[in-house]
Amino acid sequence: MTKTILRALAGETLAVPPIWMMRQAGRYLPEYRATRARAGDFLSLCYTPELAAEVTLQPIRRYGFDAAILFADILLVPQALGAELWFETGEGPRLSTVTTPAELAALKPAAAVHDHLAPVYETVRILARELPREVTLIGFAGAPWTVATYMIAGRGTPDQAPAHRLLREDRATFAALIDLITEATVEYLSAQVAAGAEVVKLFDSWAGSLAGQDFEDFAVAPARRIIAALKERHPGLPVIAFPREAGERYAGFARATGADCVALDQSVDAGWAARHVQCDGCVQGNLDPALLVSGGEDLVREARRIVRAFSGGPHIFNLGHGITPDADPENVTRMIAAVRQAGGADV
Ligand code: CP3
């Protein structure tokens, strides 16, 4: 029998939507914190295949999700291109910056990323072997714009101002960086698929800050290029695109990029998205992760409302963004029960 996630991605309307969560392997789980402590630090966890596979499997064992997402990070690609990357405890990622033609020229070519990323491909191979038969393995990468915002600023930024500034002041360098990341992303995702990933997801976490033509040029166009290249190399490969905070521009995004599914953040109303986005195919989303901190009746009510709003078409239940470290693991159990009950399953 075909896996539920693959059926939804192929356009089938299921009575009970399949479920997984962004950042389902993360600090809210005590078993994750224990394995991360064994690894020593976050990047060592990403680059140690046995441990990365272990944390990927932990939420599957605990909750029985319908999909596992490879444990890695979107910033491994800049590192494979030659940028320096480290994580400041309690603050987040830091990278050496790329803002000049010379710094761009010092990066490696896209085809050279595989050596550095080989441990990630090994994690995928372990997972393809060890996951329960009914669970789908999702690979992922950051979308070029989001990855570029970190490479240009050297860190996360609230408004992506350094990347917008480079785009205005030196469009040629900016566009060449986007092209390099686009090519590296095709290489990276294609190798994940060759190693056993069944679906891939593109995370464009900062897509919402691109306005007007910039959204077309740097969110839509790179996604379209990546998806076309992947589907040419791997016919039938399902792709999920996540242009976070795209707002009304979620409408038509699947058609414009060739994505099989669009992931929705919690700022869009599920009723609106059912009419304007799900009309083109599968949608994924979009429970507010804050509800997994607060729990209670609001969590159950909102999970049910989302399932009902999307019940007329293909839907994968997920959060609108990653689960946060302060979430209560018990609330995840409550969320899953609410989704499966709303969909009519015996749980
Ligand atoms: O979803 C999953 O469980 C798969 C693994 C995954 C991680 N990061 C692990 C991680 C995925 C898909 C990502 C994507 C990612 N990484 C994005 C795009 C999605 C999003 O959340 O918007 C971005 C922007 C990054 C970059 C990144 N990595 C930041 C800004 C941070 C620090 C913020 C934080 O949450 O601490 C990370 C670290 C990170 N990546 C953690 C995890 C589990 C926490 C690290 C830890 O254990 O200390």
Side-chain angles (χ1 to χ4, degrees), residues 30-42 44-45 51 55:
E31 58 269 37
Y32 171 86
R33 296 195 297 269
T35 309
R36 187 181 181 288
R38 252 178 82 197
D41 60 73
F42 174 67
S44 304
L45 181 53
L51 297 182
V55 294

Side-chain angles (χ1 to χ4, degrees), residues 47-337:
Y47 288 118
T48 309
E50 294 71 26
L51 297 182
E54 166 59 23
V55 294
T56 305
L57 292 166
Q58 286 167 349
I60 307 303
R61 291 190 201 114
R62 187 189 265 255
Y63 298 115
F65 285 118
D66 297 288
I69 183 156
L70 163 70
F71 189 85
D73 196 85
I74 66 164
L75 300 178
L76 305 188
V77 167
Q79 200 180 24
L81 287 169
E84 283 172 50
L85 171 69
W86 68 101
F87 279 78
E88 291 285 347
T89 316
E91 287 188 43
R94 295 289 183 274
L95 300 90
S96 53
T97 58
V98 180
T99 58
T100 64
E103 284 163 346
L104 178 70
L107 295 174
K108 294 178 192 161
V113 296
H114 295 300
D115 274 355
H116 183 88
L117 296 168
V120 178
Y121 310 150
E122 180 56 22
T123 305
V124 175
R125 279 191 289 272
I126 296 173
L127 289 167
R129 249 187 348 253
E130 295 196 358
L131 273 172
R133 236 178 335 122
E134 66 280 8
V135 179
T136 302
L137 178 55
I138 303 177
F140 75 91
W145 161 248
T146 288
V147 172
T149 66
Y150 288 92
M151 293 182 78
I152 294 164
R155 59 189 297 159
T157 45
D159 51 5
Q160 297 75 58
H164 286 289
R165 196 177 317 125
L166 185 64
L167 162 54
R168 295 288 157 255
E169 291 175 1
D170 184 356
R171 191 180 171 100
T173 300
F174 176 84
L177 178 60
I178 292 283
D179 280 348
L180 176 63
I181 302 167
T182 299
E183 287 160 20
T185 303
V186 171
E187 289 294 319
Y188 182 44
L189 289 176
S190 188
Q192 290 181 30
V193 174
E198 301 170 276
V199 173
V200 296
K201 178 169 173 184
L202 263 182
F203 283 84
D204 211 350
S205 303
W206 301 118
S209 83
L210 289 166
Q213 189 62 34
D214 288 345
F215 185 83
E216 296 302 317
D217 293 344
F218 300 115
V220 175
R224 182 170 53 228
R225 263 184 75 191
I226 292 166
I227 292 168
L230 288 172
K231 285 182 181 267
E232 197 181 302
R233 294 195 199 181
H234 311 278
L237 173 74
V239 181
I240 304 171
F242 182 34
R244 193 169 73 90
E245 292 187 352
E248 291 183 353
R249 297 165 301 178
Y250 273 119
F253 196 83
R255 251 178 295 138
T257 59
D260 301 87
C261 175
V262 175
L264 303 160
D265 68 83
Q266 66 269 17
S267 71
V268 294
D269 175 67
W272 177 86
R275 288 191 301 281
H276 297 280
V277 188
Q278 200 184 27
C279 53
D280 288 332
C282 190
V283 290
Q284 177 180 283
N286 69 340
L287 187 83
D288 187 340
L291 288 166
L292 295 174
V293 181
S294 53
E297 250 321 289
D298 284 354
L299 165 63
V300 171
R301 197 179 324 112
E302 187 59 12
R304 286 190 185 139
R305 192 182 70 80
I306 290 168
V307 172
R308 292 201 186 111
F310 291 127
S311 63
H315 176 217
I316 298 168
F317 190 92
N318 203 307
L319 310 180
H321 201 194
I323 185 169
T324 52
D326 55 344
D328 179 352
E330 288 300 316
N331 283 335
V332 176
T333 307
R334 293 181 190 114
M335 173 194 82
I336 293 170

